Amino acid sequence: MGRRLIYLVVLGLTVSFGARMAPAQGEAPASQPPVESLPAPPELPPPSLASPPSELPASATPPGGAAGTPAKKAPGLKLKGAQAQAQAPSAPVPAPAEEFDPSVAKELAVGDGTMPAVPTPGDPGTAPDLLDAGSKDPLPASSPSEPGEMPVPPRDPNVERSQAPLGASPGALPTPSGAEQNPLPAAKEPPGQSSASIAPNEADELVLSPDRLRTGVQSVGLSVEVKGPATLNLNTPATYKIIVSNPGTADAIGVVVRDALPPELEFLSSQPSEQRGPDTLLVWHLGTVRAGSKQEILLKVKPTKKGQFDHAATVTMRSGAKSRTTVYEPKLKVEQIVTTAKVLKGQTVEYRISVTNTGDGPARDVIVRAKLSPGLRAEDAGGSSDQNLFELSLGDLLPGQHVPLEPLVTDAVLGGEQWCKVDVTSPDVAPGAEESRSEKVVTVIEPKLAVTLVGPKERYTDTIAAYAVTVTNPGSATARNVRVQVTLPVNAQLVKLPSGAKFDIQSRRLTWDAFPVEPGEKEKVNLGFEVRMGGPRLYELTVQAVGDQGLSAKEITSTDVIALADLALEITEDRRVIDVGQLTTFTISVKNKGSKAATKILVSGRHSPEVLIKKTAGTEEPARYKQDAAGKPDNGGFLFPEIERLDVGQEIVLGVQVEALKIGLATCRIFVMHDDVEQPVEDMEKVRVTQAVGK
């Protein structure tokens, strides 16, 4: 009972005279486990050296050993090396050789040396465990009615929507701590990187490593108390006690105690060991003082002067709080499957499109756009634009979610290479990723027809013109059931019916049976026919080729049938055999059997030496012998005067009378020329000359 009374008295003195530093920052959320303390700084002594002297009760050793010794870790974590040894129950430490002043020892007997009022975090029944069980926090947050209440920041619906789980309404309040429903996986620590390796240096007075802090509002209440005897005798050693306590809910990190000894005191020793500063400054780096724990410094000094003096200790610390943000990366992948790589024009092409979120975060407001080439037309064009563009909203996609779309069915309306380009976008996904775009190309094959009709550009009346029809397929597919039809003009007569063709007299159409035409320049089909031309005019022949799938080709060719002065020449003789000295007459008939008048008609001839011209008839002027350069007769050559015109059907008759000069076969050759011909029309007649009997 007496011991308990002493404890209460000393505790009252502690509250009255102790220096309390409590930079309260709020409470730590109950859902977060306490952050483990780092190992003690290198300059501190081993944990066993931090135990109090033997004069103090052995049970008064602070939990976990001296300053800087790690407290008990959270369940499931394994300690290694020196930390594991500090975990074991501490054995009593032998007292130092120095004896303490009994009066000081009596004042230092504060408490019974058992566990502090606030249990070590991580043990059963600790403050976080109690909070999880529904008990109240030792430092509750101020109510709205209390002064100093922190204002509630305005709520941003866009931020709430971007951070809320999928399926939650934009205005929904966050779930209670420890009950957040997040569909995403928990963030992982970077492989091969421990907390200790990324913790900042203890000497850094500005920045604390997030691994040493807890999330939420943190409350640190740090108190310091210096205990020493009220009176001392000169040169008598005395022991002072500096007690640093943390009754808050968060750890105090980087705790440093500084003690500038008065000149009247001579420093002897301390536990833990001190670091010396300038003049009489003593420094102790206590490291981390866990929430609900305390650490003590025993300082042994000796007064060297008498008088009254003050002995003060200064404590500095660091504290902080953190928030945890997990960043996920949604990724969008679009895939296309086309039903065929080659399709016939006029048939359908089906594109099967699917979108997958291959990332680990949700993709919101996913939009799929499909762009078709001009040669493709969607069967259901209700959602397309003028640019043949289709757009579909998928909403939100969870990680790993696969969404197949309705097939996009298109009609191939043009030949060649046609394509469908698809891209998928989301405001949560960086644009331009290769896997978010897809292009599929199909080759649209189509048959084509080309037809040509080749014939003479000019012909004369009553002549035969030969024509050739050529059918080709410049396309990429077989043209089937091709039928060729040629329409003949009036007054043109088909000379002979071609093989595999039919001719309709009424319509004047020449038609061939159906046949296929393969693509390629070498796969030609040649069809020929002949036509006899009539009177002079421009004759037009029309050829048309038609086939399946609406194939058609047409061409018109023309032949100009012109009139011709066609002079017919005929020579006859009166007597076929004559004697030397007798006369005979060659009759020359020139008739225009052509289609126009012949002009500038020249009739000339040549006879053999057996005869000699006596006279000519049929023209106003007689024929005359041609002369050579010397003015002599040109070996029997003669020429009639020019005949200006000979109309169609008109005939002119000329006569040449000759006398036989010597025995032999006498000949007379006649030539006729006019304006429409370059080569003369010629004919010849013969007369035999004999010797008269008795001469």
Side-chain angles (χ1 to χ4, degrees):
M1 181 67 181
R3 181 169 180 165
R4 183 174 182 84
L5 181 60
I6 294 173
Y7 171 77
L8 294 176
V9 172
V10 174
L11 180 60
L13 292 174
T14 301
V15 175
S16 301
F17 300 102
R20 176 179 176 83
M21 295 189 299
Q25 300 297 329
E27 301 172 0
S31 61
Q32 295 291 338
V35 179
E36 301 165 10
S37 63
L38 294 176
E43 67 273 17
L44 298 181
S48 60
L49 298 180
S51 302
S54 58
E55 287 84 359
L56 296 178
S59 60
T61 303
T69 302
K72 185 177 180 181
K73 287 207 170 189
L77 298 179
K78 296 182 179 180
L79 300 177
K80 295 182 180 180
Q83 292 184 1
Q85 297 176 1
Q87 179 78 9
S90 58
V93 181
E98 297 85 1
E99 295 293 335
F100 293 96
D101 192 331
S103 61
V104 176
K106 186 178 297 184
E107 287 192 43
L108 293 179
V110 179
D112 55 2
T114 60
M115 186 67 69
V118 181
T120 302
D123 291 336
T126 59
D129 297 331
L130 294 177
L131 289 175
D132 291 341
S135 62
K136 296 183 178 179
D137 194 300
L139 295 176
S142 60
S143 62
S145 61
E146 295 177 354
E149 176 189 4
M150 297 181 65
V152 179
R155 294 168 57 186
D156 189 337
N158 294 326
V159 174
E160 291 182 0
R161 180 177 182 274
S162 64
Q163 297 179 355
L166 291 179
S169 60
L173 294 176
T175 56
S177 178
E180 180 181 357
Q181 301 297 325
N182 194 334
L184 306 177
K188 296 181 180 179
E189 188 177 34
Q193 191 176 26
S194 63
S195 300
S197 65
I198 62 176
N201 194 308
E202 186 67 25
D204 186 358
E205 298 182 358
L206 298 178
V207 179
L208 292 175
S209 170
D211 295 317
R212 306 183 64 185
L213 302 177
R214 298 166 63 185
T215 59
V217 179
Q218 303 299 306
S219 174
V220 179
L222 194 63
S223 64
V224 60
E225 182 180 6
V226 180
K227 286 189 175 184
T231 60
L232 279 177
N233 291 330
L234 189 65
N235 295 324
T236 300
T239 299
Y240 284 80
K241 192 172 187 180
I242 303 174
I243 304 172
V244 179
S245 301
N246 182 6
T249 59
D251 296 342
I253 302 173
V255 178
V256 180
V257 178
R258 293 176 177 83
D259 186 354
L261 289 179
E264 295 84 0
L265 294 180
E266 179 185 350
F267 172 75
L268 298 179
S269 64
S270 70
Q271 289 186 5
S273 298
E274 81 290 346
Q275 288 182 345
R276 304 302 296 264
D279 299 332
T280 62
L281 179 64
L282 304 176
V283 181
W284 291 270
H285 291 271
L286 301 185
T288 300
V289 178
R290 303 296 297 268
S293 67
K294 65 181 179 180
Q295 295 195 31
E296 299 175 351
I297 299 174
L298 300 180
L299 175 61
K300 189 172 183 180
V301 296
K302 180 177 69 173
T304 58
K305 295 181 181 179
K306 69 174 186 174
Q308 189 178 25
F309 56 86
D310 293 329
H311 183 193
T314 303
V315 178
T316 62
M317 58 156 282
R318 292 180 294 169
S319 182
K322 69 178 180 181
S323 66
R324 174 166 294 176
T325 301
T326 303
V327 178
Y328 297 97
E329 182 182 13
K331 296 180 180 180
L332 294 176
K333 180 180 181 181
V334 62
E335 296 175 290
Q336 279 194 89
I337 298 177
V338 63
T339 53
T340 179
K342 184 180 292 186
V343 64
L344 186 64
K345 178 183 174 182
Q347 296 183 352
T348 60
V349 182
E350 185 174 291
Y351 291 92
R352 298 172 184 173
I353 305 170
S354 62
V355 180
T356 306
N357 183 356
T358 58
D360 56 4
R364 305 172 190 269
D365 299 330
V366 178
I367 303 295
V368 181
R369 297 178 179 87
K371 173 75 173 179
L372 296 177
S373 62
L376 297 177
R377 289 290 183 271
E379 291 185 351
D380 182 12
S384 67
S385 64
D386 295 338
Q387 293 78 28
N388 219 10
L389 178 66
F390 296 80
E391 184 174 301
L392 178 64
S393 175
L394 299 183
D396 301 340
L397 264 66
L398 292 173
Q401 185 175 357
H402 178 78
V403 179
L405 308 183
E406 289 291 332
L408 179 59
V409 182
T410 63
D411 293 327
V413 296
L414 295 178
E417 289 191 349
Q418 306 298 331
W419 43 261
C420 176
K421 297 179 181 179
V422 180
D423 68 280
V424 57
T425 59
S426 167
D428 298 330
V429 178
E434 183 177 354
E435 62 179 6
S436 65
R437 300 190 302 266
S438 174
E439 179 179 354
K440 288 294 182 180
V441 179
V442 297
T443 301
V444 180
I445 58 175
E446 61 172 330
K448 296 181 179 180
L449 281 181
V451 62
T452 58
L453 177 59
V454 179
K457 297 296 181 181
E458 291 182 350
R459 289 300 291 168
Y460 295 108
T461 58
D462 200 29
T463 58
I464 295 176
Y467 294 91
V469 177
T470 303
V471 183
T472 57
N473 179 2
S476 53
T478 303
R480 304 186 182 279
N481 296 323
V482 178
R483 296 172 299 279
V484 176
Q485 177 178 277
V486 177
T487 303
L488 301 181
V490 180
N491 296 332
Q493 298 179 357
L494 184 66
V495 176
K496 183 180 179 181
L497 184 66
S499 175
K502 298 178 182 180
F503 183 68
D504 185 1
I505 299 178
Q506 299 296 329
S507 62
R508 304 191 60 80
R509 291 177 179 173
L510 179 63
T511 305
W512 280 265
D513 296 335
F515 53 87
V517 181
E518 298 297 331
E521 182 64 25
K522 296 181 179 180
E523 304 296 333
K524 296 180 179 179
V525 177
N526 295 314
L527 306 173
F529 62 96
E530 293 181 350
V531 175
R532 181 178 293 276
M533 298 301 181
R537 54 174 292 185
L538 184 64
Y539 286 70
E540 288 188 350
L541 288 81
T542 302
V543 59
Q544 184 176 15
V546 295
D548 291 350
Q549 299 179 342
L551 296 178
S552 179
K554 184 178 181 180
E555 185 174 278
I556 299 176
T557 187
S558 60
T559 300
D560 188 12
V561 178
I562 58 179
L564 177 65
D566 186 10
L567 299 182
L569 174 63
E570 184 180 4
I571 303 175
T572 61
E573 73 287 344
D574 291 343
R575 298 170 61 184
R576 301 216 28 111
V577 179
I578 60 174
D579 293 335
V580 175
Q582 292 182 345
L583 299 174
T584 186
T585 301
F586 292 100
T587 302
I588 303 169
S589 174
V590 179
K591 186 177 182 179
N592 186 355
K593 295 184 177 182
S595 56
K596 75 171 185 177
T599 58
K600 296 182 179 181
I601 302 168
L602 292 176
V603 180
S604 62
R606 181 180 297 277
H607 61 78
S608 62
E610 287 79 8
V611 295
L612 179 66
I613 297 176
K614 301 300 284 185
K615 63 178 181 179
T616 62
T619 58
E620 295 182 358
E621 297 291 333
R624 54 184 176 82
Y625 275 108
K626 296 179 180 179
Q627 295 181 351
D628 57 13
K632 296 181 179 180
D634 184 16
N635 296 327
F638 59 93
L639 177 66
F640 282 92
E642 181 181 272
I643 302 171
E644 292 293 333
R645 181 183 180 91
L646 187 63
D647 292 330
V648 176
Q650 187 178 3
E651 182 180 9
I652 184 172
V653 178
L654 304 175
V656 177
Q657 187 183 50
V658 297
E659 179 183 3
L661 297 180
K662 59 182 180 179
I663 298 172
L665 184 64
T667 61
C668 180
R669 185 180 299 271
I670 303 299
F671 305 92
V672 179
M673 288 285 295
H674 59 90
D675 285 346
D676 290 343
V677 295
E678 296 179 357
Q679 296 294 329
V681 180
E682 64 179 278
D683 196 7
M684 182 184 69
E685 190 60 71
K686 296 177 287 185
V687 175
R688 182 170 294 278
V689 180
T690 61
Q691 182 66 43
V693 178
K695 290 185 180 180

